[in-house]
Amino acid sequence: MLEGKVAVITGGTRGIGYEIVRVFCENKAKVILFGSKEETVEKAITQLKEDGFSVTGYSPNLQNPEEIQSVIDQIIDEYSTIDILVNNAGISANKKIEDTSAEEFIQIMEINVNAMFHLSKAVIPHMKNKKKGVILNTSSMVSIYGQPSGVGYPTSKFAVNGMTKSLARELAPFQIRVNAVAPGVTKTDMVASLPQEIMEPIIQSIPLKRMAEPKEIANAFLFLASDLASYITGVVLSVDGAAMN
Ligand code: NAD
């Protein structure tokens, strides 16, 4: 479904991002994954190589626009294009507002929102020149009604939806599609740390009565990245077992 396409995927070392990398590779994309550390990028590349996939990777500081621009330029030099950008890297929060420092709140915005801005800004001139491109953002089911603690996280994901819908409108004249996927509770490290007594009632409240597998989320990214979604832009696609529908 993605034969010949070059895709950059942030937060590609584990969890949902790692499955997006795998599923894009299975569908013949050339994938460049980003992670927060050189070691984790290398580990993910080694695992993927063992499974027969050839990918490369970088670990730019997502809070540094110049570093991001320089890595994006390097990739365009090497591959001569970036067809798909997946802004997936993210961090979450679960503390009450009184226990959340200003620095913690700002850090969530930095990784979940500002990095998405820097990365999109770095690839958009190239996509505009080519008059085509796909940008996909990872939102969350909490971008619909919020959540009862960790206010920075849903705040950041509402911003992701705003950026997705606005850029979809701004970039449509250049045939650049911009969409988001809003996963429900998904089996990754992000939820693994939560105790069973917190998780069980959440799972029971989901109509499908289970968490999503990362691959089930990755498949939505595959669809939106592919030409099957050629008339879809500005959408936030919920993949949440009807948790928020
Ligand atoms: P995860 O913690 O397993 O993976 C997070 C990824 O983001 C990692 O690859 C990590 O390297 C990257 N990352 C984190 N901080 C970074 C930083 N400072 N610089 C660069 N990269 C950084 O989490 P996940 O569950 O796979 O989450 C992926 C995305 O899905 C996030 O945007 C998250 O908000 C979203 N999401 C997850 C769930 C869930 O239940 N797991 C639900 C809804 C949305």
Side-chain angles (χ1 to χ4, degrees), residues 18-242:
Y18 183 77
E19 281 306 319
I20 300 172
V21 171
R22 277 192 72 97
V23 123
F24 277 29
C25 286
E26 282 164 9
N27 283 273
K28 307 257 188 291
K30 290 180 197 149
V31 177
I32 301 101
L33 67 84
F34 285 8
S36 53
K37 296 191 209 99
E38 216 178 304
E39 310 87 82
T40 51
V41 168
E42 283 310 317
K43 190 174 159 224
I45 291 175
T46 307
Q47 265 169 11
L48 288 154
K49 280 204 174 122
E50 278 168 16
D51 293 341
F53 303 120
S54 171
V55 301
T56 51
Y58 294 90
S59 49
N61 176 357
L62 295 189
Q63 291 170 252
N64 183 333
E66 289 80 30
E67 208 175 309
I68 290 173
Q69 186 70 61
S70 140
V71 171
I72 293 293
D73 290 345
Q74 224 175 301
I75 293 168
I76 293 171
D77 268 358
E78 193 175 331
Y79 292 83
S80 65
T81 186
I82 294 177
D83 302 295
I84 303 161
L85 168 67
V86 180
N87 287 306
N88 166 75
I91 51 175
S92 86
N94 54 26
K95 289 189 210 163
K96 297 286 175 206
I97 190 163
E98 313 86 283
D99 303 324
T100 304
S101 66
E103 290 72 25
E104 285 168 328
F105 183 82
I106 290 165
Q107 183 63 9
I108 293 222
M109 296 306 144
E110 276 287 325
I111 303 303
N112 294 8
V113 183
N114 299 355
M116 194 170 273
F117 169 80
H118 303 320
L119 280 144
S120 303
K121 193 170 169 189
V123 298
I124 284 166
H126 167 75
M127 288 181 173
K128 271 187 167 178
N129 280 340
K130 296 199 91 170
K131 287 219 172 338
K132 66 174 178 163
V134 175
I135 299 176
L136 300 178
N137 300 324
T138 306
S139 181
S140 166
M141 69 177 188
V142 304
S143 74
I144 298 170
Y145 299 117
Q147 65 182 22
S149 63
V151 67
Y153 184 63
T155 304
S156 73
K157 296 300 187 180
F158 273 75
V160 168
N161 294 0
M163 203 182 312
T164 302
K165 287 169 184 279
S166 300
L167 284 181
R169 280 164 177 79
E170 182 173 331
L171 301 175
F174 303 94
Q175 303 307 314
I176 300 168
R177 297 188 296 105
V178 188
N179 292 297
V181 173
V185 187
T186 309
K187 265 191 221 161
T188 69
D189 290 353
M190 197 173 264
V191 297
S193 56
L194 296 172
Q196 187 66 15
E197 57 273 24
I198 293 192
M199 286 315 297
E200 207 39 51
I202 295 176
I203 291 167
Q204 286 317 313
S205 73
I206 301 168
L208 281 182
K209 302 279 180 229
R210 63 176 178 87
M211 288 193 258
E213 295 295 333
K215 181 152 192 182
E216 294 177 295
I217 308 299
N219 285 337
F221 281 89
L222 171 63
F223 165 65
L224 289 172
S226 79
D227 289 343
L228 289 180
S230 54
Y231 201 63
I232 300 179
T233 193
V235 153
V236 178
L237 177 61
S238 288
V239 186
D240 63 4

